[in-house]
Amino acid sequence: MKILILTFIPLCMTVFGFAQVKADLTGYKQVNGAVVTQQDQSLEISWPAGSSLKGRVVFDLSPSRPLFKTITLGQQQITADIDPAFLLTVGKRDLVSQNGWNIFFDKVPTKPHQSYPLILKKTSVSVRSEGSRTIASIGPITAETFSGMLEVTFYNGSPLLNIAAVITTAAPAKAILFDAGLVSMKADWQHISWMNTGDSLQQAQVASGDTAHRLAVKYRAIAASGKQGTIVVFPPPHQYFYPLDEAFNLNFTWYGNQYRQMINGYGLGIRQELEGDKRFVPWFNAPPGTQQRLNFFCLLSNNEKAAFTAMKAFTHNDRYAELPGFRTMSSHFHNEFVMNVMMAGKPVPEHPGFVKVFKDLGVNIVHLAEFHYTADPRGPDEKRLPQLKALFELCEKQSDDKFLLLPGEEPNEFFGGHWLDLFPRPVYWVMSRKPGQSYVEERSGYGKVYHIGNKEEMLKLLEDERGLAWTAHPRTKGSVNTPDSYRHEPFFLSDRFMGAAWKAMPADLSQPRLGKRVLDLMDDMNNWGTKKTVISEADLFSITQHNEMYAHMNVNYLMLDKLPSYKGSWLPVLDAMQRGRFFASTGEVLIPLLKINGHISGDSLQLPATGIATIDLKLQWTFPMNFVEIISGDGKKVYRESMSLTNTEAFGEKSFRFSTKLSGRKWVRVEAWDVAANGAFSQTFWLR
């Protein structure tokens, strides 16, 4: 397809001619330090960009000129005469075979799909203020059945801006992907730079005739540098990555000329591989009437090295930050090291690569899900028991006083649907029991060995060994109908069935938060009256240094003063999970403190006669915050109270106190989300 993006073809020029476009400034307030002026076809926005510098962007509203006339930081012009570029790929969502928009088992690229450049017409322009942000809206912007506006958001206190095509469609069953970036017909950049997957800075000289390249990079970012500065382009670190089984690095950036033969000029940006990991590839949901926000960030700097340092800080260098009084824990990894290496007779390295990946990410505790359709969970014993023994030996050898590798499985037997287990010590058990065989017996070389034949015995094993079970990927994948279908079962009502696990699945760019599927389930379980908790899960297969791990990861911050020892018992980990003594996070938003009327999450508390709850909340964040939401329920309905945080700037820490009336409510919890849809959510407080 040879449609030129974001540069008017002659027909459009004759339609819209040279009429001056006057920006609507009624939503702009001269209160946050940003200054907006218009002279003829030039619209200038300047904002306080931190370090006593001003950022300044001049938009050219004439139809045939690049949108960004100049982009300046302080006295230095970073770049000029560039356009934002978007390619929208539209496919068909399967809304029939599973559970509607929650489907994961979809293969969108195997069905008819087509890519379109988004076409911008600069006939409507407005500027509005939202707290410490200033937003320019230009449009319309259209492709296929989608239409909307281009939004450019400037964040006070940082040389950061966000460029978004905010579009909607009335058509049903749409699944989408997008590529995006910056492009110029006469680029003033000298070289392109990025961090390779080995975390080393790489450069390529700009050659206007160079064909486009697709790159595997670290930190999901690519930069262009000129004589006076650098502009870094990068996506929201988690939101841009729809769920896949594999966290492969699929060359998520591009640079060069005539990208995909659909973008005219030389550019750089972010991209998605249409075929994904070639397993189940669901892309993004785009339900009719929703405002899909196709967006990326730009960070300005006067120095290339400083630009990458500043960009990496938004994700703590792709590492989960340490928090006093907490230990980080991540769950659900089908790495299959035991079967693929140890039981296959291959050399076992002293320090397996996957362990280093987790340590580099700042994860203190890793809960595995080994033997996922690769081993012999139902026996015979002579196969099953050595497999378990190898798993326990691996975990013990790789654990130390700073890192705990925990054995676990996704058994998917007895209860229905898919579920995970975790015991506080090594437990030998087989997922079958022959007629006349004992529930438990002593076996030489293994000690106590359990044979489980039904859901009642499975619950008894969890009780006897103080283990936990919970629903994996609830309401999707192999758990489409669970936990709903067994919520009245004794095993679910037991305190040994912890609850469920959260992941950003499905993906929907219209949502200001991630993982709505499980957050809604959390509220439903609370209203069912069952005291359950929800941990975050990664649900990934191969774990390598070259994977794009951070984008697909999440973590639980457990309230633990110290890391338990593998050789003793890691029961404190299970206790924190089962009692709700943790919060889940994508990594950029942290909750060092949350108390309601002096109580911590998982507690039951008596409200005063007034029904007033005082919520003390401390947040730390990297991207500017978006909102905090207090969610509560009365056993039937769910109530939401949202507090805007649009006055915040990047890289902040603040204590908040909210008072809210919760008379008649039975539970309450808290979420916090930033402008990139990164966030954190607490566990439930129970009200009396």
Side-chain angles (χ1 to χ4, degrees):
M1 183 174 293
K2 297 183 179 179
I3 302 174
L4 303 185
I5 186 168
L6 300 177
T7 301
F8 280 2
I9 57 177
L11 176 60
C12 294
M13 294 179 64
T14 61
V15 171
F16 297 102
F18 301 96
Q20 181 172 330
V21 179
K22 185 170 179 60
D24 179 359
L25 303 183
T26 56
Y28 161 63
K29 311 298 180 186
Q30 299 184 40
V31 293
N32 66 8
V35 178
V36 181
T37 59
Q38 181 174 6
Q39 183 175 1
D40 299 327
Q41 296 286 63
S42 293
L43 175 68
E44 180 178 310
I45 297 179
S46 67
W47 77 101
S51 302
S52 300
L53 294 175
K54 284 277 190 180
R56 186 171 70 255
V57 168
V58 178
F59 295 98
D60 193 331
L61 303 181
S62 59
S64 59
R65 296 286 301 160
L67 179 63
F68 292 106
K69 186 175 183 179
T70 58
I71 298 179
T72 303
L73 181 62
Q75 300 301 313
Q76 294 180 293
Q77 181 175 296
I78 304 298
T79 189
D81 295 324
I82 61 173
D83 270 312
F86 292 86
L87 293 180
L88 174 69
T89 302
V90 183
K92 183 175 177 59
R93 168 66 71 236
D94 174 2
L95 296 175
V96 177
S97 67
Q98 278 207 326
N99 52 346
W101 293 104
N102 275 344
I103 189 172
F104 173 80
F105 293 142
D106 203 353
K107 297 183 177 181
V108 181
T110 66
K111 296 175 286 187
H113 60 276
Q114 189 169 349
S115 296
Y116 307 86
L118 283 169
I119 305 299
L120 177 67
K121 297 177 181 178
K122 297 178 277 189
T123 59
S124 176
V125 180
S126 64
V127 181
R128 67 184 187 273
S129 305
E130 291 186 2
S132 64
R133 297 99 201 249
T134 304
I135 304 168
S137 182
I138 303 165
I141 191 166
T142 59
E144 207 243 9
T145 62
F146 289 80
S147 63
M149 299 292 286
L150 182 78
E151 289 190 350
V152 182
T153 304
F154 306 93
Y155 302 97
N156 279 13
S158 177
L160 181 72
L161 55 146
N162 179 270
I163 301 176
V166 185
I167 56 176
T168 187
T169 181
K174 295 291 188 181
I176 63 172
L177 283 184
F178 78 95
D179 301 351
L182 302 173
V183 64
S184 176
M185 296 300 294
K186 50 176 183 178
D188 60 353
W189 309 315
Q190 295 179 325
H191 63 264
I192 305 297
S193 53
W194 63 92
M195 306 298 294
N196 67 13
T197 56
D199 208 10
S200 296
L201 182 66
Q202 307 292 307
Q203 293 181 345
Q205 296 301 308
V206 170
S208 59
D210 199 6
T211 55
H213 301 264
R214 306 174 185 192
L215 295 174
V217 305
K218 191 171 175 63
Y219 310 111
R220 304 153 299 280
I222 190 164
S225 297
K227 294 180 180 179
Q228 300 189 76
T230 298
I231 184 167
V232 187
V233 173
F234 58 102
H238 304 281
Q239 185 195 46
Y240 185 60
F241 297 85
Y242 63 90
L244 292 169
D245 285 330
E246 295 282 8
F248 294 151
N249 192 319
L250 299 173
N251 302 328
F252 292 115
T253 62
W254 64 272
Y255 77 92
N257 197 46
Q258 297 289 333
Y259 175 62
R260 290 182 60 185
Q261 300 301 309
M262 298 178 71
I263 293 181
N264 196 32
Y266 190 98
L268 77 165
I270 59 173
R271 63 176 298 276
Q272 286 281 4
E273 186 63 43
L274 300 185
E275 294 185 352
D277 62 3
K278 299 183 179 180
R279 293 165 64 95
F280 294 102
V281 185
W283 293 7
F284 294 98
N285 286 339
T290 57
Q291 297 286 322
Q292 296 296 315
R293 189 176 179 85
L294 287 52
N295 75 102
F296 62 94
F297 289 91
C298 296
L299 186 67
L300 312 179
S301 178
N302 296 325
N303 176 276
E304 180 183 71
K305 184 178 180 180
F308 277 99
T309 299
M311 178 275 301
K312 292 189 289 184
F314 282 100
T315 60
H316 304 290
N317 290 359
D318 280 13
R319 184 178 175 86
Y320 294 102
E322 294 182 6
L323 203 57
F326 293 85
R327 296 296 180 269
T328 54
M329 178 262 194
S330 195
S331 173
H332 200 156
F333 297 96
H334 302 300
N335 193 45
E336 302 302 337
F337 186 85
V338 173
M339 295 305 296
N340 293 340
V341 178
M342 300 176 74
M343 303 306 292
K346 297 178 182 178
V348 179
E350 183 73 15
H351 303 288
F354 79 92
V355 173
K356 184 179 187 304
V357 169
F358 287 123
K359 289 182 176 180
D360 288 346
L361 283 164
V363 180
N364 306 131
I365 305 166
V366 172
H367 171 229
L368 296 174
E370 290 283 282
F371 310 138
H372 192 53
Y373 304 117
T374 63
D376 301 276
R378 298 176 60 85
D381 289 11
E382 56 267 26
K383 289 187 176 181
R384 167 69 168 169
L385 299 182
Q387 291 165 4
L388 284 172
K389 188 172 186 178
L391 173 61
F392 300 151
E393 289 174 350
L394 168 71
C395 290
E396 180 175 0
K397 184 174 182 179
Q398 296 306 318
S399 296
D400 54 35
D401 59 349
K402 295 182 180 179
F403 181 75
L404 191 58
L405 185 63
L406 299 183
E409 297 180 79
E410 186 178 344
N412 304 340
E413 295 280 354
F414 313 119
F415 292 158
H418 287 202
W419 55 279
L420 268 71
D421 68 10
L422 178 60
F423 293 99
R425 66 176 188 87
V427 174
Y428 287 97
W429 68 292
V430 183
M431 300 179 202
S432 66
R433 187 160 70 86
K434 300 174 182 177
Q437 191 172 29
S438 298
Y439 160 72
V440 60
E441 60 185 359
E442 291 289 330
R443 293 285 296 272
S444 176
Y446 300 104
K448 192 179 293 186
V449 175
Y450 296 89
H451 288 85
I452 307 302
N454 54 49
K455 60 186 175 184
E456 290 80 13
E457 292 175 353
M458 187 67 237
L459 175 57
K460 180 173 172 54
L461 172 61
L462 293 169
E463 293 171 339
D464 289 348
E465 291 291 347
R466 304 178 72 179
L468 290 178
W470 60 91
T471 309
H473 41 73
R475 294 179 174 174
T476 191
K477 281 193 167 184
S479 302
V480 169
N481 299 312
T482 61
D484 305 71
S485 63
Y486 52 57
R487 70 184 184 95
H488 299 297
E489 293 266 9
F491 70 82
F492 180 79
L493 297 174
S494 165
D495 67 354
R496 294 300 88 199
F497 201 94
M498 183 192 73
W502 172 93
K503 178 178 177 172
M505 178 171 59
D508 186 332
L509 296 166
S510 71
Q511 293 288 331
R513 73 193 84 208
L514 300 177
K516 182 178 183 295
R517 165 185 56 94
V518 183
L519 297 174
D520 287 347
L521 170 64
M522 191 177 187
D523 299 335
D524 289 343
M525 290 193 298
N526 289 341
N527 272 341
W528 296 344
T530 53
K531 292 186 176 181
K532 301 300 180 183
T533 60
V534 170
I535 66 165
S536 66
E537 66 175 354
D539 192 5
L540 295 172
F541 285 69
S542 58
I543 313 297
T544 76
Q545 176 188 357
H546 299 290
N547 276 4
E548 180 43 76
M549 294 298 300
Y550 185 81
H552 291 276
M553 283 279 289
N554 47 56
V555 78
N556 303 282
Y557 277 82
L558 305 184
M559 298 179 192
L560 295 173
D561 289 326
K562 64 178 182 179
L563 200 64
S565 166
Y566 185 93
K567 292 184 178 180
S569 166
W570 51 89
L571 183 62
V573 173
L574 282 76
D575 285 345
M577 294 166 59
Q578 194 270 337
R579 297 174 63 195
R581 305 304 204 219
F582 66 94
F583 68 88
S585 174
T586 59
E588 298 77 12
V589 180
L590 303 179
I591 308 177
L593 174 70
L594 173 61
K595 290 188 176 182
I596 299 182
N597 289 3
H599 290 263
I600 62 175
S601 62
D603 277 356
S604 294
L605 59 122
Q606 180 70 52
L607 288 174
T610 60
I612 297 297
T614 299
I615 300 175
D616 291 299
L617 170 68
K618 185 177 182 180
L619 293 178
Q620 295 175 1
W621 63 85
T622 57
F623 288 88
M625 289 299 297
N626 192 3
F627 64 94
V628 164
E629 194 161 62
I630 300 169
I631 304 100
S632 61
D634 60 8
K636 295 181 179 179
K637 296 181 180 179
V638 176
Y639 303 85
R640 299 181 181 276
E641 184 180 354
S642 186
M643 277 70 68
S644 172
L645 296 183
T646 56
N647 281 318
T648 58
E649 298 180 357
F651 301 103
E653 179 177 350
K654 186 176 180 179
S655 295
F656 302 87
R657 170 165 283 193
F658 306 111
S659 291
T660 185
K661 191 173 180 65
L662 296 176
S663 299
R665 310 293 165 79
K666 295 184 177 181
W667 56 269
V668 63
R669 62 182 187 85
V670 176
E671 298 177 14
W673 300 93
D674 69 20
V675 298
N678 309 307
F681 61 91
S682 79
Q683 295 306 291
T684 303
F685 296 72
W686 304 98
L687 307 178
R688 298 193 301 269

